Every structure is written in structure tokens, then in C-alpha cells.
Amino acid sequence: AQSPILTKPSFGDVAVEITTQDSCAFYNQCALYENFGGVVLAEEEGNNIAKALGDKNRALILQNHGILSAGTSIEAAVGYL
């Protein structure tokens, strides 16, 4: 699932801290994709995003765009947003 950031500034060089119980779900399972160029129109960009997400991350911050989450089901992925 993917969601634009509605209540926070776009992530740039912002450090993400685990400061609430809700954020504990992302401890050591959140990555930053620094080179996001906008709408994914090429297979290569999709592959780059998948590589940045990796095998263990539940969320990927798309720098200056929003957050992408992944899970074993649609429900799980949406639950992380």
C-alpha cells in the first residue's frame, strides 16, 4: 500500500525515531528510498523500489513523496499505514 504524507513534512534528511508504541512495528524494519523520482512508469524504477524495500522491511519512505508499506497480505500492508 502507498500513502502520501498528509500531516507531516516530506522526509528529506529527517531522522525517524521510534517514539511511540505505534511506531514500534517499524523498529529496524523501515528503509529510506532517497532517489524517488515520482510516478513509477518504468520497470527499472519498480525494481529499484523493491530492492530498497528489501526482504525484512515493512515500510519504505519514498523521500519527498510518502510512505509505501508491504505485508504478507493487502490487509497487513494497509494495517502498517
Side-chain angles (χ1 to χ4, degrees):
Q2 190 267 332
S3 174
I5 298 171
L6 301 176
T7 59
K8 306 267 184 194
S10 294
F11 290 94
D13 294 327
V14 178
V16 177
E17 296 182 17
I18 304 299
T19 58
T20 68
Q21 188 171 4
D22 293 332
S23 64
C24 289
F26 298 104
Y27 181 73
N28 285 335
Q29 296 182 2
C30 184
L32 173 64
Y33 184 55
E34 298 182 41
N35 299 316
F36 186 66
V39 179
V40 178
L41 299 174
E43 185 175 335
E44 180 181 3
E45 181 73 348
N47 291 335
N48 291 339
I49 290 171
K51 183 178 178 182
L53 184 61
D55 294 333
K56 68 173 184 140
N57 293 311
R58 294 181 179 182
L60 181 66
I61 299 169
L62 304 173
Q63 188 171 21
N64 300 317
H65 183 70
I67 300 173
L68 179 138
S69 65
T72 56
S73 67
I74 293 170
E75 294 82 3
V78 171
Y80 294 130
L81 294 177

